[in-house]
Amino acid sequence: MSRRARIASLDLNLLVVLDELLRSQSTVVAAKRLGRAQSSVSHALGRLREVFGDPLFVRTGTALRPTSFAEELAAPLRAQLDALEQLLEPTAGVEPSRLERTFTLSAPDWAVVLMLPPLMARLRREAPGVDVVLRSFRMDVDRAVQSGEIDVALGVRFQPLSGLVMQRLLEEPFVCIAHRDHPDLGERITLDAYAAAAHVLVAPYELPGSPLDDELARLGHRRRVVLRVPHFSAALFVVAQTDLIATLPSSFVHATAPLLRLRVIEPPLAIPPFSFSCLFSATRRKDPAHVWLRRCISEICREIHAGTPRTVEGRPIDTIDR
């Protein structure tokens, strides 16, 4: 039998039942959510076992536990059902004021601090029926987007997984920050002084090294990292109260630190700017509400980027025009 013939012979309702069973791991709960009798769901599970040649679920006490084969089906099944929903949905634009929907986002803390206030202000103004859930930013965020757990992830590094779309939002440069009265730093910083200083390194992915360290090594220098943290905001406050220095995204520094005793200095070496992007599932590419949300995020990024000073010249941050 050809693949087309196999698809034609398959009751697609069975896949809906399988998706719900993977979510609830209970025939009782799945039946309630699908508006069916429990016996109907149990019968569908029997047919699914025949189709896939696998038990799919094993009863453990009162719960149904998916087999490893069933767990592997979860993400691609959800993606295909989402694609089918998109095929059946109209592609017309959305009216934000009438939108009632919850979006799940994920982003590193510097992007959350920078973008969430203007995004929520815009949603409250234009789409008061929209709610937002913010998920922690973690190593497997790509797979969470792929499986549909997260609508949009914002960040720098993403895996090239199938079914995902990455949209570049902006190119972000770095600046160096230090306490305004740092005993060893003035208006500018030399490469030797920069390498000799005690550094805070932000490692959201908890990976060793960084492009900055690669560039230092190319120039024959090595810095000492005395503190490694996963959050940019932590680095900001540590630098404000110690003799440590940090190299952070420019927009984040200028938007969050005007009340801290910080000096912003151009780094003494060429650090390539990083591409800040949003990641979403290809199944949501034409979803009108999803398109509108991504447009809001993109416009907010452009506004933030346009309002960030391009030079700093070693001035205290609270004297820079914003």
CSV table of all heavy atoms in Angstrom, one decimal, residues 169-196:
chain,number,residue,atom,x,y,z
A,169,LEU,N,15.7,40.1,14.7
A,169,LEU,CA,15.0,41.3,15.1
A,169,LEU,C,16.0,42.5,15.1
A,169,LEU,O,15.6,43.6,14.8
A,169,LEU,CB,14.5,41.1,16.5
A,169,LEU,CG,13.4,40.0,16.6
A,169,LEU,CD1,13.0,39.8,18.1
A,169,LEU,CD2,12.1,40.5,15.8
A,170,LEU,N,17.2,42.3,15.6
A,170,LEU,CA,18.2,43.5,15.6
A,170,LEU,C,19.6,42.9,15.8
A,170,LEU,O,19.8,41.8,16.2
A,170,LEU,CB,17.8,44.4,16.8
A,170,LEU,CG,17.7,43.9,18.2
A,170,LEU,CD1,19.0,43.9,18.9
A,170,LEU,CD2,16.7,44.8,19.0
A,171,GLU,N,20.6,43.8,15.5
A,171,GLU,CA,22.0,43.6,15.8
A,171,GLU,C,22.3,44.4,17.1
A,171,GLU,O,22.2,45.6,17.1
A,171,GLU,CB,22.8,44.0,14.6
A,171,GLU,CG,22.6,43.1,13.4
A,171,GLU,CD,23.3,41.7,13.6
A,171,GLU,OE1,24.4,41.7,14.1
A,171,GLU,OE2,22.6,40.7,13.2
A,172,GLU,N,22.8,43.7,18.1
A,172,GLU,CA,23.0,44.4,19.4
A,172,GLU,C,24.5,44.5,19.7
A,172,GLU,O,25.2,43.4,19.8
A,172,GLU,CB,22.3,43.7,20.5
A,172,GLU,CG,22.5,44.2,21.9
A,172,GLU,CD,21.7,45.6,22.1
A,172,GLU,OE1,21.0,46.0,21.1
A,172,GLU,OE2,21.9,46.2,23.1
A,173,PRO,N,25.1,45.7,19.9
A,173,PRO,CA,26.5,45.8,20.3
A,173,PRO,C,26.7,45.6,21.8
A,173,PRO,O,25.7,45.6,22.5
A,173,PRO,CB,26.8,47.2,19.8
A,173,PRO,CG,25.5,48.0,20.0
A,173,PRO,CD,24.4,47.0,19.6
A,174,PHE,N,27.9,45.6,22.2
A,174,PHE,CA,28.2,45.4,23.6
A,174,PHE,C,28.9,46.7,24.1
A,174,PHE,O,29.5,47.5,23.4
A,174,PHE,CB,29.2,44.3,23.9
A,174,PHE,CG,28.6,42.9,23.6
A,174,PHE,CD1,28.8,42.3,22.4
A,174,PHE,CD2,28.0,42.3,24.7
A,174,PHE,CE1,28.3,41.0,22.2
A,174,PHE,CE2,27.5,41.0,24.5
A,174,PHE,CZ,27.6,40.4,23.2
A,175,VAL,N,28.7,47.0,25.4
A,175,VAL,CA,29.4,48.0,26.1
A,175,VAL,C,30.0,47.5,27.4
A,175,VAL,O,29.5,46.4,27.9
A,175,VAL,CB,28.5,49.2,26.4
A,175,VAL,CG1,28.1,49.9,25.1
A,175,VAL,CG2,27.3,48.9,27.3
A,176,CYS,N,31.0,48.1,27.9
A,176,CYS,CA,31.6,47.7,29.2
A,176,CYS,C,31.1,48.6,30.3
A,176,CYS,O,30.9,49.8,30.1
A,176,CYS,CB,33.1,47.8,29.1
A,176,CYS,SG,34.0,47.4,30.5
A,177,ILE,N,30.8,48.0,31.4
A,177,ILE,CA,30.3,48.8,32.6
A,177,ILE,C,31.2,48.6,33.8
A,177,ILE,O,31.7,47.5,34.0
A,177,ILE,CB,28.8,48.5,32.9
A,177,ILE,CG1,28.7,47.0,33.3
A,177,ILE,CG2,27.9,48.9,31.8
A,177,ILE,CD1,27.3,46.7,33.9
A,178,ALA,N,31.3,49.7,34.6
A,178,ALA,CA,32.1,49.6,35.8
A,178,ALA,C,31.5,50.6,36.8
A,178,ALA,O,30.7,51.5,36.4
A,178,ALA,CB,33.6,50.0,35.5
A,179,HIS,N,31.8,50.4,38.1
A,179,HIS,CA,31.4,51.4,39.1
A,179,HIS,C,31.9,52.8,38.7
A,179,HIS,O,33.1,52.9,38.2
A,179,HIS,CB,31.9,51.0,40.4
A,179,HIS,CG,31.3,51.8,41.6
A,179,HIS,ND1,31.7,53.0,41.9
A,179,HIS,CD2,30.3,51.5,42.4
A,179,HIS,CE1,31.0,53.5,42.9
A,179,HIS,NE2,30.1,52.6,43.2
A,180,ARG,N,31.2,53.8,38.9
A,180,ARG,CA,31.6,55.2,38.5
A,180,ARG,C,32.9,55.6,39.1
A,180,ARG,O,33.7,56.3,38.5
A,180,ARG,CB,30.5,56.2,38.9
A,180,ARG,CG,30.8,57.6,38.4
A,180,ARG,CD,29.8,58.6,39.0
A,180,ARG,NE,28.5,58.3,38.6
A,180,ARG,CZ,27.4,58.9,39.0
A,180,ARG,NH1,27.5,59.9,39.9
A,180,ARG,NH2,26.2,58.6,38.6
A,181,ASP,N,33.1,55.1,40.4
A,181,ASP,CA,34.4,55.5,41.1
A,181,ASP,C,35.4,54.3,41.1
A,181,ASP,O,36.1,54.2,42.1
A,181,ASP,CB,34.0,55.9,42.5
A,181,ASP,CG,33.1,57.1,42.5
A,181,ASP,OD1,33.2,58.0,41.7
A,181,ASP,OD2,32.1,57.1,43.4
A,182,HIS,N,35.4,53.5,40.1
A,182,HIS,CA,36.3,52.4,40.0
A,182,HIS,C,37.7,52.9,40.2
A,182,HIS,O,38.1,53.8,39.5
A,182,HIS,CB,36.1,51.6,38.7
A,182,HIS,CG,36.8,50.3,38.7
A,182,HIS,ND1,38.1,50.1,38.7
A,182,HIS,CD2,36.2,49.1,38.6
A,182,HIS,CE1,38.4,48.8,38.6
A,182,HIS,NE2,37.3,48.2,38.6
A,183,PRO,N,38.5,52.3,41.1
A,183,PRO,CA,39.8,52.9,41.4
A,183,PRO,C,40.8,52.8,40.2
A,183,PRO,O,41.8,53.5,40.2
A,183,PRO,CB,40.3,52.0,42.6
A,183,PRO,CG,39.5,50.8,42.5
A,183,PRO,CD,38.2,51.2,41.9
A,184,ASP,N,40.6,51.8,39.3
A,184,ASP,CA,41.6,51.6,38.3
A,184,ASP,C,41.2,52.0,36.9
A,184,ASP,O,41.9,51.9,35.9
A,184,ASP,CB,42.0,50.1,38.2
A,184,ASP,CG,42.6,49.7,39.6
A,184,ASP,OD1,43.3,50.4,40.2
A,184,ASP,OD2,42.3,48.5,40.0
A,185,LEU,N,40.0,52.6,36.7
A,185,LEU,CA,39.5,52.9,35.4
A,185,LEU,C,39.1,54.4,35.3
A,185,LEU,O,38.6,55.0,36.3
A,185,LEU,CB,38.2,52.1,35.1
A,185,LEU,CG,38.4,50.5,35.1
A,185,LEU,CD1,37.1,49.9,34.8
A,185,LEU,CD2,39.5,50.1,34.1
A,186,GLY,N,39.4,55.0,34.2
A,186,GLY,CA,39.0,56.4,33.9
A,186,GLY,C,38.0,56.5,32.8
A,186,GLY,O,37.1,55.7,32.7
A,187,GLU,N,38.2,57.5,32.0
A,187,GLU,CA,37.2,57.8,30.9
A,187,GLU,C,37.3,56.7,29.9
A,187,GLU,O,36.3,56.4,29.2
A,187,GLU,CB,37.5,59.1,30.3
A,187,GLU,CG,37.3,60.3,31.2
A,187,GLU,CD,35.8,60.4,31.6
A,187,GLU,OE1,35.0,60.3,30.7
A,187,GLU,OE2,35.6,60.7,32.8
A,188,ARG,N,38.5,56.1,29.7
A,188,ARG,CA,38.6,55.0,28.7
A,188,ARG,C,39.4,53.9,29.4
A,188,ARG,O,39.9,54.0,30.5
A,188,ARG,CB,39.5,55.5,27.5
A,188,ARG,CG,38.8,56.7,26.8
A,188,ARG,CD,39.6,57.2,25.6
A,188,ARG,NE,39.0,58.3,24.9
A,188,ARG,CZ,38.0,58.2,24.0
A,188,ARG,NH1,37.6,57.0,23.6
A,188,ARG,NH2,37.5,59.3,23.4
A,189,ILE,N,39.4,52.8,28.7
A,189,ILE,CA,40.1,51.6,29.2
A,189,ILE,C,41.0,51.0,28.1
A,189,ILE,O,40.5,50.8,27.0
A,189,ILE,CB,39.1,50.5,29.7
A,189,ILE,CG1,39.8,49.4,30.4
A,189,ILE,CG2,38.1,50.1,28.6
A,189,ILE,CD1,38.8,48.4,31.1
A,190,THR,N,42.2,50.7,28.5
A,190,THR,CA,43.1,50.1,27.5
A,190,THR,C,42.9,48.6,27.5
A,190,THR,O,42.3,48.0,28.4
A,190,THR,CB,44.6,50.4,27.9
A,190,THR,OG1,44.9,49.7,29.1
A,190,THR,CG2,44.9,51.9,28.0
A,191,LEU,N,43.4,48.0,26.5
A,191,LEU,CA,43.3,46.5,26.3
A,191,LEU,C,43.9,45.8,27.5
A,191,LEU,O,43.4,44.8,28.1
A,191,LEU,CB,43.8,46.0,25.0
A,191,LEU,CG,43.7,44.5,24.7
A,191,LEU,CD1,42.2,44.1,24.7
A,191,LEU,CD2,44.3,44.2,23.4
A,192,ASP,N,45.1,46.3,27.9
A,192,ASP,CA,45.8,45.7,29.0
A,192,ASP,C,45.0,45.8,30.3
A,192,ASP,O,44.9,44.8,31.1
A,192,ASP,CB,47.2,46.3,29.2
A,192,ASP,CG,48.2,45.9,28.1
A,192,ASP,OD1,48.0,44.9,27.5
A,192,ASP,OD2,49.2,46.7,27.9
A,193,ALA,N,44.4,47.0,30.6
A,193,ALA,CA,43.7,47.2,31.8
A,193,ALA,C,42.4,46.4,31.8
A,193,ALA,O,42.0,45.8,32.8
A,193,ALA,CB,43.3,48.7,31.9
A,194,TYR,N,41.8,46.2,30.6
A,194,TYR,CA,40.6,45.4,30.4
A,194,TYR,C,40.9,44.0,30.7
A,194,TYR,O,40.1,43.3,31.5
A,194,TYR,CB,40.1,45.6,29.0
A,194,TYR,CG,38.8,44.8,28.7
A,194,TYR,CD1,37.5,45.4,29.0
A,194,TYR,CD2,38.8,43.6,28.1
A,194,TYR,CE1,36.4,44.7,28.8
A,194,TYR,CE2,37.6,42.9,27.8
A,194,TYR,CZ,36.4,43.5,28.2
A,194,TYR,OH,35.2,42.8,27.9
A,195,ALA,N,42.0,43.4,30.2
A,195,ALA,CA,42.3,42.0,30.5
A,195,ALA,C,42.7,41.8,31.9
A,195,ALA,O,42.5,40.7,32.5
A,195,ALA,CB,43.5,41.6,29.5
A,196,ALA,N,43.3,42.8,32.6
A,196,ALA,CA,43.7,42.7,33.9
A,196,ALA,C,42.6,42.8,34.9
A,196,ALA,O,42.8,42.4,36.1
A,196,ALA,CB,44.8,43.7,34.2
